[in-house]
Amino acid sequence: MFLDTLANHCRNQPDKTALQFIGGQPVTYGELAAAVNRTADYLLSLGIQPGDRVAVQLPKCLPFIYFHLAAVRIGAIFLPLNPAYPTAELRYFLADSGARLLIADAKDQSKLDPLTDNLPDHQKTTYIFQPQDSGGNWIEDRSAQRDYPLPSDPDQTAMMLYTSGTTSRPKGAEITHGNLTANIASLHEAWGWRRDDVLLHALPVFHVHGLVVALHGALHAGATALLCPAFDARTALDLLCTGRFSVFMGVPTMHRRLYQLAAGQRYDLSGMRLMTSGSDRLPDDLFYGYQETFNVTLLERYGMTETGMNLSNPLQGERRVGAVGLPLPGVAARVVDPDTEQPLADGDIGEVQIKGAHVFKRYWRQPEKTAAAFSADGWLRTGDMGLREPDGYYTLKGRAKDLIITGGLNVYPPEVELVLMEHPSVAACAVIGCPDDEWGEQVVAAIIPQAAEPADAPDEGEICAFCRQQLAAYKVPRRVIFVDKLPANALGKVQKAKLRAQLCG
Ligand code: MCA
């Protein structure tokens, strides 16, 4: 399993650098093992048991990685939380997961203490002072020597990641040790990970993309990851130009910013072994622009939180513009008629469905939603529409579900609509995604105001401020448009395609 492979690297190459934050000290594989052991010792001293949920809301930093690896290696369930979540969202995740422990940034203590006081399952919050420091107040005096048995049941849940739904509050997708291992082994093979790879890691670590695909990928290979605390295009481009790196992974918004920064100048990054793009569709102009500007053909791939990676353009062979590639090793894919779930002929558009050892176990305490996610014969319904070319390449063609992707992050319109409807001046609303060059899509709200008098109508700033109290900033509408009516079908359901045609312009 992934943890065994990592443990072997820690034993066999203790002096090799595993991780290094920009401007920070290198952490060797041996030091990583010791820090993770000490952190595991700390978690055990708090009474954390296998199966307990350990929530971590920290910026991208070494303590985040130590707590992640320590929690999974003692058999607890690691729950990463976006630091951008406001208290209202955080309360939901902690209460729903029944997290026993929260690891948080000490700067948030005054905000978090009153929240966690009222959570029945919550036992303790550990505050980390200066997360960017490599040391840690929680590991002083802890043993680095104890040898903990690694979880051996592939069906045991290792992590839980919340994904939103079209009709309900976010659900915790349970990812098992077996899922992690299957996914990382498959990517290792497909992308030819090497021990001498050096990854420039600029993604957030609270998603599958940054945590599993990028970070686990490098650690599983026994390679080195240099981490940026946040993505900054200038820093990333300067680093990529040093020639020190062989692998970089990003979302289209990051690639767009790098491309725009180059502003027509040529930079030869062809020494990079692998530059990938994912989490949202890679626009054609960016694919070609990258080739011209950086002498690099981006490798586009397709995944989701519930599965990790499913499809990928090949490392060797054609990286096809607009396509998400071929099924990864160990992954089965098909395209079906969304109504009958009968497989379709090549070239016909239908729902993409996935099967394999990488597919998640279930939604936390949601048997009905879990059952609804799978077909009768066990295929995962991705909700993404697409087609298969006769030579096996898949191309995505929109979504069956109501979803916006902005900057590589998923926003479910119903979640934003529910918040908007709580505002006293909103009579009705609909949230859509409008195309945007930088972000892929932008969140836009169409609102029918309550007020009969124009003077009483709400203003855009007030609506956005209201949303900001309850939603992470990336979910807050970038534009609010007041309308007299919303296009609806005979059943009164808002026709979002029509609304997009009217408002996106
Ligand atoms: C930040 N903002 C955003 C986003 N990110 N708004 C919409 N969409 C976003 N994705 C807000 C900020 O809160 C801020 O709001 C304003 O935009 C400007 O922030 P800025 O500093 O420009 O943004 P940034 O911090 O540079 O972030 C942009 C980013 C980031 C680097 C593209 O969003 C990012 O790291 N995206 C990657 C997401 C990712 O890893 N996705 C994988 C999940 P204000 O000014 O109002 O405060 S999907 C996944 O894992 C599956 C498995 C897969 O296939 O990969």
Side-chain angles (χ1 to χ4, degrees):
M1 292 218 279
F2 162 67
L3 287 176
D4 297 285
T5 313
L6 177 58
N8 286 340
H9 293 317
C10 293
R11 258 192 310 275
N12 299 336
Q13 48 176 35
D15 299 330
K16 178 170 180 184
T17 300
L19 308 167
Q20 184 173 8
F21 270 87
I22 291 182
Q25 292 298 316
V27 179
T28 64
Y29 274 89
E31 288 164 342
L32 177 64
V36 171
N37 275 354
R38 288 196 169 99
T39 308
D41 206 27
Y42 173 71
L43 292 176
L44 291 170
S45 76
L46 296 178
I48 296 297
Q49 307 270 339
D52 283 348
R53 277 75 61 212
V54 173
V56 177
Q57 191 187 40
L58 287 175
K60 185 174 172 182
C61 59
L62 286 172
F64 180 100
I65 297 171
Y66 297 159
F67 274 105
H68 162 56
L69 293 172
V72 294
R73 72 164 299 180
I74 63 165
I77 299 176
F78 177 73
L79 169 60
L81 296 165
N82 185 340
Y85 288 140
T87 318
E89 285 196 89
L90 191 62
R91 179 183 293 112
Y92 171 78
F93 295 125
L94 294 174
D96 185 72
S97 65
R100 305 257 293 155
L101 175 67
L102 170 66
I103 318 287
D105 191 332
K107 77 173 176 36
D108 296 327
Q109 180 159 7
S110 58
K111 189 175 80 184
L112 294 178
D113 274 347
L115 186 163
T116 50
D117 279 352
N118 296 316
L119 291 169
D121 299 309
H122 186 75
Q123 181 187 316
K124 184 176 166 66
T125 304
T126 294
Y127 290 105
I128 306 296
F129 293 88
Q130 297 174 328
Q132 298 302 350
D133 281 358
S134 54
N137 44 319
W138 75 97
I139 43 179
E140 284 156 18
D141 308 326
R142 294 272 153 209
S143 163
Q145 304 308 327
R146 290 238 305 257
D147 222 4
Y148 306 103
L150 295 174
S152 56
D153 177 3
D155 202 37
Q156 188 178 343
T157 302
M159 314 203 304
M160 198 154 104
L161 290 143
Y162 274 87
T163 69
S164 291
T166 43
T167 53
S168 58
R169 302 294 307 264
K171 318 178 278 287
E174 290 187 49
I175 319 281
T176 65
H177 286 268
N179 296 152
L180 290 176
T181 302
N183 213 250
I184 221 62
S186 152
L187 287 175
H188 188 85
E189 182 185 336
W191 291 352
W193 271 104
R194 300 188 329 208
R195 196 166 289 204
D196 62 357
D197 272 328
V198 183
L199 166 76
L200 178 60
H201 189 300
L203 287 157
V205 278
F206 45 83
H207 287 298
V208 165
H209 193 171
L211 186 61
V212 179
V213 185
L215 188 65
H216 286 193
L219 294 177
H220 176 270
T224 297
L226 196 131
L227 301 111
C228 308
F231 176 73
D232 170 69
R234 177 81 268 162
T235 309
L237 186 56
D238 288 347
L239 286 167
L240 289 169
C241 288
T242 60
R244 247 183 95 187
F245 299 92
S246 58
V247 182
F248 178 78
M249 299 181 187
V251 302
T253 302
M254 293 176 173
H255 292 303
R256 174 74 67 194
R257 288 185 184 175
L258 289 169
Y259 172 59
Q260 283 174 342
L261 186 64
Q265 264 185 281
R266 304 273 164 97
Y267 295 82
D268 188 11
L269 300 184
S270 59
M272 295 289 296
R273 199 179 64 69
L274 176 66
M275 290 184 80
T276 70
S277 180
S279 308
D280 193 7
R281 196 186 167 277
L282 177 66
D284 294 2
D285 73 301
L286 195 50
F287 178 92
Y288 291 121
Y290 237 74
Q291 284 182 325
E292 208 170 296
T293 305
F294 298 123
N295 198 11
V296 163
T297 301
L298 285 171
L299 180 148
E300 187 173 4
R301 60 28 168 214
Y302 162 68
M304 56 195 291
T305 298
E306 285 87 340
T307 60
M309 297 302 101
N310 299 315
L311 306 164
S312 172
N313 276 281
L315 184 67
Q316 312 293 345
E318 186 195 2
R319 297 181 190 174
R320 189 170 296 171
V321 63
V324 286
L326 306 147
L328 283 161
V331 174
R334 68 178 191 178
V335 176
V336 300
D337 179 314
D339 297 323
T340 63
E341 294 207 305
Q342 287 308 305
L344 292 173
D346 288 345
D348 288 348
I349 297 175
E351 186 185 45
V352 177
Q353 298 194 337
I354 298 293
K355 225 183 214 183
H358 66 310
V359 175
F360 82 125
K361 179 169 160 182
R362 61 184 172 209
Y363 291 117
W364 174 251
R365 293 180 178 161
Q366 301 260 21
E368 280 146 33
K369 300 223 161 64
T370 305
F374 291 92
S375 71
D377 48 353
W379 291 81
L380 177 72
R381 300 174 171 140
T382 64
D384 287 309
M385 304 297 282
L387 60 83
R388 182 184 183 276
E389 305 280 357
D391 60 2
Y393 278 71
Y394 283 74
T395 303
L396 298 183
K397 297 280 180 194
R399 299 163 199 139
K401 55 193 175 195
D402 191 12
L403 164 71
I404 298 167
I405 305 183
T406 168
L409 294 174
N410 291 359
V411 178
Y412 285 82
E415 205 183 336
V416 185
E417 288 159 1
L418 273 177
V419 170
L420 287 170
M421 288 307 292
E422 284 171 22
H423 192 284
S425 310
V426 175
C429 69
V431 169
I432 53 173
C434 284
D436 182 85
D437 278 352
E438 182 181 1
W439 298 96
E441 284 181 303
Q442 215 182 43
V443 180
V444 172
I447 290 178
I448 302 180
Q450 204 60 270
E453 296 298 320
D456 299 331
D459 103 334
E460 177 168 358
E462 184 196 320
I463 296 281
C464 291
F466 180 77
C467 289
R468 219 166 241 278
Q469 286 166 10
Q470 299 182 63
L471 295 168
Y474 67 89
K475 300 179 187 174
V476 173
R478 291 289 175 101
R479 256 194 314 148
V480 176
I481 300 170
F482 295 100
V483 293
D484 295 331
K485 62 177 193 284
L486 293 165
N489 65 13
L491 299 171
K493 190 172 182 312
V494 176
Q495 292 170 303
K496 296 225 168 159
K498 261 197 185 156
L499 190 63
R500 272 192 291 273
Q502 284 172 10
L503 300 184
C504 291

